[in-house]
Amino acid sequence: MSKLHTIIRRLRLGTAYRHQLTCHPDFGLERHEDGCSVLWRGRRVGRVGLVGPLKNRYGDHCFTVATGPSLGEVDLGRLAGHDCISLNCAIRKFAEAGMRPRHCVIVDRRIFENQWECVRDSITSGANCFFSAVGLSRICEREPELLGHDNIFLIEAIGRRFGFPGVDKERFHAAYRDDPEVVLDPEHAAQARTIGFSLNADKGFFPGKTVATWAVQLACFLGYRSNYILGMDLGGTGKAHFYGDNRMRPPDFLKDYDPYIRVAFELARRAADDRGFRIFNLSAHSTLPAEIIPKISLEEALADASGAAIFSERVVQP
């Protein structure tokens, strides 16, 4: 899209719908009670599910697999038999191990634009694929036939749902500050649309500047009570991704860490303590300190997942 067309479209969308600017102008969604029809140039090209009906469909525990450099040292085969959530291009690691995850989450439009094989491989793996509206728009542009698969779900940011006007900061805080399904930090009201924790996928999730925050909220909503996160280094190793691909500029986690990522996980920990689920970080060198999300090893996580009582007691006690 040319720069002039972008300017014209920005004016047409106005402030209320500017969150749709990165979607192609020929893309659309028609919402139904049980899903969405995906429209491309006025024609229905597929149907995707909504996250809401999946509430508490799963349980016990899951391993969330992020793409930090530390993932390169992990033998993913050790997770065989466990539910896994693949983030962005972690699907490559699953393919190398001859495994497939239970779920995939891709919300970064740069993955859809620069790492297309990760999108295709996630869909064809058969995993439940949770994609943003921008991601669905890119699929329409590049390979709309992929929307014929029945394992794709629309995942959205709270206050910025496709087809609905966005909510400004003041109205957002007024709408959600007393909502029992939404956890906010009053000290960061200016960033309230980005930093928080949502217990209801129908309202949307908080972006938090990293896909891992989406995954933590999603895992809780799906019903998992323990979430073990691998490869969530957040810049702590000084490198970008385990696969070392230079086709896209790596995110600057250290720039976004404070307050976005830090506070998002502080609120996740608060929600976990209040709601009775657990989150563990398996990246020893992660920027996120153990005081916010406890750090354990893969061996300890596997023992905990198997119900080893001695480990559970040691971790849970303050």
Side-chain angles (χ1 to χ4, degrees), residues 195-208:
I195 302 173
F197 193 94
S198 172
L199 295 151
N200 189 337
D202 292 330
K203 295 174 182 176
F205 295 131
F206 289 86

Side-chain angles (χ1 to χ4, degrees), residues 165-197:
V167 181
D168 62 33
K169 296 176 183 178
E170 291 72 21
R171 287 189 298 146
F172 185 94
H173 214 268
Y176 294 113
R177 64 188 174 195
D178 297 319
D179 190 325
E181 295 182 315
V182 175
V183 184
L184 297 174
D185 187 334
E187 293 185 8
H188 294 86
Q191 297 89 17
R193 292 177 299 175
T194 301
I195 302 173
F197 193 94

Side-chain angles (χ1 to χ4, degrees), residues 35-72:
C36 294
S37 294
V38 180
L39 307 177
W40 180 244
R41 294 174 178 162
R43 185 172 64 89
R44 182 182 182 275
V45 294
R47 186 179 178 88
V48 298
L50 299 174
V51 184
L54 299 179
K55 182 176 182 179
N56 294 327
R57 183 76 63 86
Y58 302 89
D60 197 30
H61 69 274
C62 67
F63 286 84
T64 295
V65 184
T67 61
S70 65
L71 186 64

